Amino acid sequence: MMKQLSKSYILTLFLLLTTAFSLIAQDKVVKGIVIDEDQQPVYNSLVYLDGNQVATTSVDGKFSFTTANPSKIRNLNVIKRGYKMQTWAFENSNVIKVLLTFAPVYIDGEILKDGKPVPGKYVKISGQKFNAVKTNNKGAFQLIIDRNYKVQSNTIFLVDGDPIKQKYVEYNSQLSKVTITLPSENGKTATAKVAKKKTTSPSVVKSKPKEDDIYVDPILVVVVYDEDISPADSLNVRIDEKNFITDKNGEFEVYADSLSEANFEIDDYSIIKTKYDYEDNYMFVYISDGSGGSQGETNMEYSENFQAVFNSLEAEKQLLQENGANLRKEIQKISEKLDKDINPKNKKSLESYLERLTNSLIENELRYEEAQYKTSQMLERMRNQISNQETTIVQIEEEKEEVETERMLYFVVAAISLILIFVFYKNSQKLKEQRDDLQEITGRLEKANEEVVKSHEEMLSVKDIGQKFTATLDFDKHMLDLQESVMELVPANTFGIGIYNKFDKRLEFRNQVSDIGLENYYSVSISDAYSLASWCFNNEVELIINNFDEESPLYIPQGRSLPTKINQSIIYMPLIVETKVLGVITMQSKEPNQYNDINISNLKALASYASIAVANYISYKELSEKNKSITDSMRYAKTIQNAILPSESLLKENFNEHFILYRSKDIVSGDFYWFKRKEVNGTVMKFIAVVDCTGHGVPGAFMSMIGNALLNDIVNVKGITDTVEILNALNVGVKESLQQENSMNDDGMDVALIAMKEEKDGVHIQFSGAKRPIFVYTQKKKELEVIQGDIKSIGYSSRKNKEFTDHHLVLQKDDIIYLSTDGYVDQNNANREKIGSLKLKDIIASNASKTMAEQEEALEEILDQHIVGEIEQRDDITVMGVKV
């Protein structure tokens, strides 16, 4: 019956709205605005109607287009890069409001070298907050960027932390794709040619250097990177007691001749590597906060990897020699240029450049000496170890001779002892046999007693662990605690529970515990022939393996390469409730032969508890999903409901000042406020109503939609402007819409309605109320007057037929009218005390001289103080004030 009534309400509402829009829509120009989640306008977005582009939004997010019949608009879509369409609705007859939500923006790309893809490279855009991504086997990658970010000619791409020169980067803006081509090994280095940064130094006219001249810019750009290859933003750097702050790209500028790496300091960080780009006057500094642990001194002990360490040192020395030779050539070249160049500015730049090259050569030589010292130190330690081993061998040989002598002595003593033992053997044999029998019987009894005690303790432990399983609906958050409890009974390096996803046909493991810690999520398809978990689930029987290398061919096909480090002892058991398989539970150990009959029996008992826990978990998840679906639907309904309310801009256009305190008890509200501006016989009339519908939440929201549609129809279509006639027509409309004469429905609404128009002597107000009053504050008297409405509501089949009445008054400029529902006055506190009508009147009167915004703030502050603590809001609340 209720479903039929709900369908009837929706059908009636739809017919009323359709009729109202079709009668009102005389103007064929449709206007609208596009906003984002932050209620900010979205410019330059494309508006499509029935698949055809009809408009583009302006800088304030507005658009307009023409159509034959606005009421028949159905397929409206708005497209904007970085956004996706959420919803749209008519704010009034010809104004559309569109809501867009933020969407991620990607840049696709690939890395090539000699025309072939390069896998395993980490790519990042300098200055972007997102992490670096790794290229796949085809050299492809996909970067997330800020939605307003645009790739420019000076955008720096980092590959494995090194900036890439612009000539190696090709960006297609139409496809939003970038191609990075790394140079060949025999070519130049892949260090990027970074676009020069503009400086704020005084403007000086420079003569263009000749092709064979070297001009070194006196400004050096320093770029600081963290360990994760991201720019170090807002970092304080000291150079010779001068402070510099890095910008969002990790950069700052310094005169090259003032840079001294010896006095280069960064608080709480250590410099792990520096690199110069001599061509473009860039210095790249890589820093570390030491959290990764100190590298310490190189281990020079002789071991099996000695040859690898020695080769590494020799390779490092060779690279340092080559780098030193290149630096000496560059120093010779600059020195020759310095002797020839007579330009003072060039001379100063060359001297600064020469000093940096010299410092780099000194640092390179020091590194070479350090590598040479480590090599000789390692060789010396190797010789000492060999000498110590030879000494140890000699000592072992001497000890071996001493042991042989002692062994012969022991043999003689043992022979004599055997003769003596044999003499007494015959006499003591019978006594020994009796004693052995007694010890064996005692051992059996003790072992039996221990097994009984252990079995009893394990049964209690299994019960305790099982209660932990079933005690929580979200047990996957407590997997670590469960593993610690399980390991008291069964050895397990890995412990997990896989739950069957019937939609994706996969077993999903969440927070599985292993040696690497908590594995947040992984899944396997039940059709995967190489999965032991799938085998157990599909066959619905326990799977016990005590030596994976030998027993795995019995369960999975051979041929696929398996991980080198895999657990050897493995148990999978199906989780079954009422013949239905819900998932699997697994325990695994690195060592073979870890699970015996007792372990298996305990795990079977645990599996029974786990099956119940999984069943509860699945029911809990299904209930959560249903609850989320209902909540999402109600939030969408709130968006629709908000669309029928008068916009803030509309109220600002028609009143000097106003405020609206509007709080719903649930997501959607049974309260609503209504405004219309209508020209009657050349005079502009304004109508305001605050309406309290029966109930709150979804039922109240349906009533509010009906009330809003009826008020629009009565004033706009039927042309009724008298407040008494409006309420009478609304009363009839509600009864007809809800079929109250032929049903048990007894819903209705309370209304405070005013109509105002400006005359020469002031603003004439007509008020009619259905169980709701209004408050009027006049600036001349500085008094607050309460004007009561009729003791009659709109609707309600059991009410007597009684006509509504009206009140007329004339107000002057800046006088204030207040309208409200009963939600504010009926709100109780912790002592079940209501605010009450008298206190609301006192609050309004004591704050009426303040601005409307301050009045709203005072009402909200008193309400919040009244319901402090865990007191719930008992009804929808609406208080509205307008200054005429």
Side-chain angles (χ1 to χ4, degrees):
M1 182 66 181
M2 291 301 296
K3 291 183 178 179
Q4 292 177 352
L5 289 175
S6 298
K7 291 180 179 178
S8 176
Y9 298 160
I10 296 172
L11 179 60
T12 302
L13 175 61
F14 176 77
L15 292 175
L16 288 172
L17 289 174
T18 303
T19 304
F21 285 136
S22 62
L23 292 174
I24 296 171
Q26 298 176 356
D27 193 349
K28 296 182 180 180
V29 176
V30 178
K31 298 181 180 180
I33 184 170
V34 179
I35 60 173
D36 59 20
E37 295 176 1
D38 299 329
Q39 303 298 310
Q40 297 300 316
V42 181
Y43 69 94
N44 203 27
S45 56
L46 305 180
V47 182
Y48 287 84
L49 179 63
D50 294 328
N52 298 317
Q53 182 179 344
V54 294
T56 302
T57 59
S58 60
V59 292
D60 54 359
K62 295 182 179 180
F63 65 89
S64 64
F65 60 88
T66 58
T67 181
N69 192 343
S71 64
K72 292 186 178 181
I73 293 178
R74 297 293 182 269
N75 299 322
L76 182 72
N77 192 20
V78 178
I79 298 176
K80 169 72 173 179
R81 184 172 182 265
Y83 299 85
K84 61 181 179 180
M85 181 77 172
Q86 178 69 18
T87 184
W88 67 274
F90 275 99
E91 282 197 314
N92 51 44
S93 59
N94 283 347
V95 178
I96 295 175
K97 189 174 184 180
V98 182
L99 176 63
L100 303 183
T101 58
F102 301 134
V105 179
Y106 298 95
I107 290 180
D108 294 323
E110 61 179 349
I111 296 181
L112 304 175
K113 185 174 183 180
D114 297 331
K116 297 181 180 179
V118 182
K121 292 289 185 179
Y122 287 91
V123 187
K124 179 176 171 54
I125 294 180
S126 178
Q128 282 289 288
K129 62 184 178 181
F130 302 101
N131 295 329
V133 297
K134 189 177 183 180
T135 58
N136 60 15
N137 293 334
K138 296 182 179 180
F141 62 88
Q142 189 176 65
L143 284 171
I144 302 177
I145 61 173
D146 291 329
R147 63 179 184 276
N148 295 323
Y149 184 81
K150 293 184 179 180
V151 177
Q152 306 290 342
S153 59
N154 59 350
T155 298
I156 299 177
F157 287 84
L158 303 175
V159 176
D160 286 345
D162 293 328
I164 301 301
K165 291 182 181 291
Q166 190 59 40
K167 65 182 180 180
Y168 299 127
V169 178
E170 180 182 351
Y171 178 68
N172 188 325
S173 59
Q174 294 182 346
L175 300 179
S176 188
K177 181 176 180 181
V178 64
T179 301
I180 300 174
T181 305
L182 300 181
S184 303
E185 296 295 337
N186 55 0
K188 294 183 178 181
T189 177
T191 303
K193 179 180 180 180
V194 182
K196 286 193 175 183
K197 187 170 183 178
K198 295 183 180 179
T199 67
T200 57
S201 58
S203 175
V204 178
V205 179
K206 301 177 183 179
S207 59
K208 183 176 181 181
K210 298 179 181 179
E211 294 183 357
D212 57 346
D213 287 341
I214 295 179
Y215 173 72
V216 181
D217 197 327
I219 296 297
L220 182 69
V221 179
V222 182
V223 187
V224 184
Y225 290 109
D226 287 328
E227 290 177 297
D228 61 350
I229 323 176
S230 61
D233 184 11
S234 302
L235 196 64
N236 184 36
V237 182
R238 290 190 303 279
I239 301 176
D240 290 332
E241 299 183 354
K242 293 182 180 179
N243 291 321
F244 301 87
I245 302 297
T246 60
D247 60 15
K248 65 179 182 180
N249 296 322
E251 300 178 1
F252 67 91
E253 298 176 351
V254 64
Y255 281 97
D257 55 359
S258 68
L259 179 63
S260 174
E261 291 188 35
N263 295 328
F264 199 104
E265 299 179 2
I266 303 177
D267 291 340
D268 302 327
Y269 290 91
S270 59
I271 300 175
I272 58 177
K273 185 174 70 172
T274 58
K275 182 187 294 185
Y276 281 102
D277 184 348
Y278 302 115
E279 182 178 352
D280 291 315
N281 266 17
Y282 269 76
M283 175 182 179
F284 300 96
V285 179
Y286 299 84
I287 63 175
S288 171
D289 60 0
S291 60
S294 177
Q295 296 298 325
E297 185 180 356
T298 306
N299 183 12
M300 294 298 176
E301 296 293 335
Y302 179 74
S303 60
E304 293 181 358
N305 64 346
F306 163 76
Q307 189 63 40
V309 176
F310 184 80
N311 291 340
S312 176
L313 286 173
E314 288 298 322
E316 182 181 357
K317 287 165 59 180
Q318 183 177 355
L319 289 175
L320 290 171
Q321 283 180 333
E322 293 176 357
N323 191 36
N326 293 333
L327 286 171
R328 290 187 183 91
K329 290 180 181 179
E330 187 68 15
I331 290 172
Q332 180 66 27
K333 181 180 177 181
I334 297 303
S335 299
E336 293 175 356
K337 293 292 182 181
L338 190 61
D339 294 338
K340 298 178 181 180
D341 201 331
I342 61 174
N343 188 325
K345 188 169 185 178
N346 284 358
K347 193 175 186 68
K348 183 177 180 180
S349 300
L350 288 170
E351 288 174 350
S352 174
Y353 182 37
L354 182 61
E355 183 180 354
R356 294 205 306 274
L357 290 174
T358 304
N359 291 337
S360 298
L361 179 60
I362 293 171
E363 181 182 357
N364 188 81
E365 293 299 321
L366 290 175
R367 290 183 180 176
Y368 180 82
E369 292 296 331
E370 183 181 1
Q372 182 69 21
Y373 171 74
K374 288 181 179 179
T375 303
S376 61
Q377 186 183 33
M378 186 174 65
L379 290 173
E380 182 63 26
R381 290 185 180 180
M382 183 195 71
R383 294 190 190 98
N384 291 337
Q385 280 190 309
I386 294 175
S387 177
N388 291 337
Q389 288 177 355
E390 291 176 350
T391 302
T392 302
I393 292 173
V394 173
Q395 292 176 352
I396 292 174
E397 291 295 334
E398 292 175 354
E399 292 176 358
K400 183 177 179 182
E401 292 179 359
E402 293 177 359
V403 170
E404 290 293 335
T405 303
E406 291 178 358
R407 185 182 298 174
M408 290 299 297
L409 180 60
Y410 292 152
F411 178 75
V412 173
V413 173
I416 296 173
S417 299
L418 286 174
I419 294 172
L420 294 175
I421 292 171
F422 182 74
V423 173
F424 296 100
Y425 174 72
K426 293 295 183 179
N427 296 326
S428 61
Q429 185 176 13
K430 185 175 181 179
L431 181 61
K432 181 178 179 298
E433 290 176 355
Q434 291 176 350
R435 185 173 62 250
D436 291 342
D437 292 342
L438 181 60
Q439 290 178 348
E440 182 179 356
I441 293 172
T442 303
R444 290 176 182 176
L445 291 174
E446 291 177 350
K447 185 176 181 181
N449 182 60
E450 291 175 356
E451 290 179 352
V452 170
V453 173
K454 183 178 180 181
S455 176
H456 179 68
E457 292 176 349
E458 289 183 349
M459 288 177 62
L460 293 176
S461 298
V462 169
K463 182 179 178 182
D464 292 339
I465 298 170
Q467 290 175 347
K468 289 183 179 180
F469 270 109
T470 56
T472 175
L473 293 174
D474 203 3
F475 65 89
D476 56 351
K477 293 183 178 179
H478 306 282
M479 291 295 290
L480 188 59
D481 295 335
L482 292 174
Q483 189 212 28
E484 292 177 355
S485 300
V486 169
M487 287 187 65
E488 296 177 1
L489 298 175
V490 183
N493 298 107
T494 299
F495 171 71
I497 295 177
I499 300 175
Y500 177 55
N501 185 327
K502 62 183 179 181
F503 299 105
D504 298 334
K505 297 188 181 303
R506 304 183 69 84
L507 289 171
E508 298 180 340
F509 291 81
R510 301 178 186 275
N511 290 344
Q512 177 167 294
V513 184
S514 64
D515 292 338
I516 63 175
L518 284 176
E519 300 178 60
N520 291 335
Y521 176 83
Y522 80 91
S523 64
V524 294
S525 172
I526 61 172
S527 61
D528 186 354
Y530 292 89
S531 170
L532 294 176
S534 300
W535 188 96
C536 174
F537 178 85
N538 292 323
N539 290 278
E540 300 184 14
V541 295
E542 62 191 38
L543 187 153
I544 304 169
I545 294 178
N546 271 309
N547 192 320
F548 179 83
D549 295 337
E550 296 179 0
E551 301 176 36
S552 60
L554 299 174
Y555 305 99
I556 59 176
Q558 300 302 295
R560 177 186 289 185
S561 59
L562 298 174
T564 55
K565 295 181 179 180
I566 193 166
N567 294 322
Q568 292 297 311
S569 297
I570 300 173
I571 293 181
Y572 278 97
M573 286 193 175
L575 303 179
I576 302 176
V577 174
E578 296 180 354
T579 69
K580 184 178 180 180
V581 185
L582 304 178
V584 297
I585 184 172
T586 181
M587 294 182 187
Q588 303 176 20
S589 176
K590 292 181 178 179
E591 303 299 326
N593 304 314
Q594 290 295 303
Y595 300 128
N596 52 35
D597 293 340
I598 295 178
N599 299 143
I600 297 169
S601 177
N602 290 333
L603 184 55
K604 285 182 178 179
L606 289 176
S608 299
Y609 285 105
S611 298
I612 299 173
V614 170
N616 294 339
Y617 173 79
I618 293 173
S619 299
Y620 167 72
K621 287 295 184 182
E622 291 177 351
L623 183 60
S624 298
E625 290 297 327
K626 291 179 180 179
N627 183 61
K628 181 178 181 300
S629 176
I630 294 172
T631 303
D632 291 344
S633 298
M634 292 181 68
R635 292 189 186 281
Y636 185 74
K638 180 178 178 62
T639 302
I640 298 174
Q641 187 182 40
N642 288 341
I644 72 171
L645 298 176
S647 66
E648 186 70 15
S649 60
L650 180 63
L651 295 175
K652 285 183 178 179
E653 291 175 0
N654 288 275
F655 299 102
N656 293 333
E657 289 186 65
H658 75 280
F659 75 80
I660 300 173
L661 173 58
Y662 186 63
R663 289 188 185 181
S664 60
K665 180 183 185 301
D666 301 312
I667 297 176
V668 291
S669 176
D671 284 3
F672 73 95
Y673 52 95
W674 174 82
F675 170 79
K676 284 297 173 187
R677 176 189 177 102
K678 185 178 181 66
E679 186 173 342
V680 180
N681 298 326
T683 301
V684 175
M685 295 190 67
K686 301 175 184 178
F687 301 86
I688 302 175
V690 170
V691 185
D692 182 2
C693 299
T694 300
H696 47 76
V698 175
F702 271 111
M703 287 294 296
S704 71
M705 298 290 285
I706 293 174
N708 184 79
L710 288 173
L711 285 172
N712 287 333
D713 181 67
I714 292 168
V715 175
N716 292 334
V717 180
K718 295 179 180 179
I720 299 175
T721 59
D722 183 81
T723 57
V724 172
E725 295 180 8
I726 291 173
L727 291 188
N728 287 332
L730 180 62
N731 185 42
V732 174
V734 169
K735 288 185 177 183
E736 291 178 352
S737 298
L738 301 182
Q739 301 181 12
Q740 291 183 337
E741 300 298 333
N742 302 318
S743 68
M744 299 297 294
N745 183 281
D746 197 29
D747 294 333
M749 55 188 71
D750 299 337
V751 184
L753 172 67
I754 62 173
M756 61 176 65
K757 59 182 177 180
E758 293 187 10
E759 300 288 351
K760 292 182 179 180
D761 57 341
V763 180
H764 287 242
I765 305 295
Q766 182 187 15
F767 161 67
S768 294
K771 294 190 71 175
R772 295 308 307 154
I774 62 171
F775 301 87
V776 179
Y777 181 82
T778 57
Q779 299 293 341
K780 183 177 181 180
K781 296 181 180 180
K782 302 296 182 182
E783 294 180 354
L784 183 69
E785 180 183 1
V786 180
I787 302 176
Q788 298 291 341
D790 296 313
I791 308 176
K792 177 185 177 181
S793 295
I794 300 297
Y796 298 106
S797 60
S798 61
R799 301 295 187 266
K800 296 181 180 179
N801 292 326
K802 179 182 177 182
E803 294 294 327
F804 290 100
T805 62
D806 62 351
H807 302 266
H808 293 270
L809 58 155
V810 179
L811 300 180
Q812 302 302 319
K813 183 179 180 181
D814 292 336
D815 290 345
I816 307 173
I817 301 175
Y818 301 90
L819 306 89
S820 70
T821 62
D822 61 359
Y824 195 96
V825 298
D826 288 345
Q827 180 61 48
N828 63 287
N829 59 13
N831 298 324
R832 305 184 67 82
E833 298 172 344
K834 297 181 179 180
I835 293 178
S837 299
L838 292 178
K839 186 173 182 180
L840 176 60
K841 180 180 177 182
D842 292 339
I843 296 171
I844 294 175
S846 60
N847 292 278
S849 60
K850 299 179 181 179
T851 66
M852 301 301 280
E854 290 173 338
Q855 293 184 48
E856 180 184 3
E857 183 178 349
L859 286 166
E860 288 187 336
E861 183 178 353
I862 293 172
L863 177 61
D864 292 337
Q865 292 174 355
H866 187 74
I867 60 175
V868 66
E870 298 181 357
I871 304 302
E872 293 184 358
Q873 183 175 327
R874 62 179 296 173
D875 197 1
D876 301 314
I877 295 174
T878 305
V879 180
M880 184 177 184
V882 293
K883 185 175 288 188
V884 300

